[in-house]
Amino acid sequence: MTSYDEIFDNNRLWVANKTATDKSFFEKLAKEQNPDYLYIGCSDSRVPTNEIMGLDAGEVFVHRNIANLVNSVDLNVMSVINYAVRHLKVKHIIVCGHYNCGGVKAAMQSADLGILNPWLRNIRDVYRLHRQELDEIEEDHLRFNRLVELNVQEQCVNVIKTAAVQQSYVNDGYPTVHGWVYDLYTGNLIDLKIDFEGILHNIQEIYDLTGKGLMKKKDDQ
């Protein structure tokens, strides 16, 4: 285990490595950030966001919480999405879960987890929505992994429900929302191929926040 003091030694080494290849790296980094990506992921320490994407500092705007939830009453994640879309003009929003997620596993247990109860209720709601599919999976490990995927899918839907995303997409053609899972066992990123435009169209009858009357179905236009 790395000691507290060693962290600062590691920092100095990291700075030296960066400036060895680009003397103005930090000068350029300090000026502004222009990321194309917003990444909403789990707080799990085993998922190093920039590294698994092969991106450097300044290339991805990051928000993390337990089990990568997008809850409309969570001002933190809502503020991040709003800032990323309206001010940073990100082109892609990624919700990334990971297999063997402790938050998802906890939500599958019949236990009182105190302050975590209202947070994990969001994942239990995902289970309720997809209960028939999940209950048909006999093996616990596979059912657990599938709930991880379905949770990502539902959080993508929650992102698409936001006014900032809907309005920006109508006006500018971006951002697009993606759902990923990171496989801790292999290190691979798995694209769940979320049908962004299809989901957007399907939810518009209820969640249309564009102010442009888009809630009518295409067939009715």
Side-chain angles (χ1 to χ4, degrees):
M1 180 68 70
T2 302
S3 71
Y4 181 81
D5 290 335
E6 286 175 331
I7 290 176
F8 292 91
D9 293 333
N10 291 343
N11 171 252
R12 285 187 285 270
L13 180 60
W14 175 72
V15 170
N17 289 335
K18 285 296 182 183
T19 54
T21 56
D22 184 356
K23 292 183 178 180
S24 61
F25 177 82
F26 292 102
E27 180 181 348
K28 292 185 291 187
L29 189 64
K31 289 181 179 179
E32 61 180 342
Q33 59 172 334
N34 293 293
D36 282 336
Y37 303 93
L38 166 61
Y39 174 100
I40 301 173
C42 183
S43 299
D44 196 299
S45 61
R46 298 168 294 178
V47 186
T49 302
N50 288 52
E51 292 183 32
I52 65 174
M53 298 176 70
L55 299 179
D56 213 332
E59 294 185 290
V60 55
F61 197 55
V62 178
H63 175 79
R64 300 174 70 167
N65 60 44
I66 294 174
N68 44 271
L69 297 183
V70 179
N71 190 327
S72 63
V73 297
D74 178 8
L75 293 181
N76 194 335
V77 70
M78 288 293 110
S79 297
V80 167
I81 292 172
N82 191 283
Y83 183 77
V85 173
R86 297 195 188 279
H87 298 280
L88 296 179
K89 306 293 186 182
V90 297
K91 305 303 186 295
H92 303 272
I93 299 177
I94 298 154
V95 178
C96 186
H98 65 93
Y99 294 138
N100 201 26
C101 176
V104 173
K105 184 176 291 186
M108 296 178 73
Q109 300 173 359
S110 299
D112 182 354
L113 299 172
I115 192 63
L116 281 174
N117 286 339
W119 188 259
L120 297 179
R121 186 178 301 132
N122 295 281
I123 307 173
R124 292 183 173 126
D125 286 341
V126 174
Y127 199 118
R128 175 175 55 82
L129 290 171
H130 300 275
R131 183 171 182 175
Q132 181 175 350
E133 175 186 348
L134 290 166
D135 285 350
E136 290 176 355
I137 302 175
E138 296 183 0
E139 188 176 333
D140 290 343
H141 177 70
L142 296 178
R143 189 187 315 114
F144 174 27
N145 283 350
R146 183 56 180 152
L147 181 54
V148 167
E149 296 171 350
L150 291 170
N151 182 53
V152 168
Q153 174 181 301
E154 292 300 329
Q155 304 317 312
C156 286
V157 173
N158 289 340
V159 173
I160 297 170
K161 291 176 184 176
T162 63
V165 170
Q166 290 186 27
Q167 292 168 5
S168 177
Y169 187 74
V170 168
N171 294 329
D172 304 317
Y174 58 81
T176 301
V177 179
H178 310 272
W180 294 357
V181 173
Y182 176 61
D183 189 341
L184 286 173
Y185 303 97
T186 66
N188 292 322
L189 284 170
I190 301 167
D191 187 350
L192 298 179
K193 301 188 183 303
I194 299 298
D195 181 6
F196 167 68
E197 290 190 352
I199 293 172
L200 178 62
H201 175 66
N202 287 335
I203 70 172
Q204 280 176 346
E205 291 190 27
I206 300 174
Y207 299 100
D208 182 11
L209 301 176
T210 64
K212 296 189 176 183
L214 296 179
M215 63 174 54
K216 289 185 178 182
K217 293 182 179 179
K218 292 181 179 179
D219 293 342
D220 299 333
Q221 294 178 346

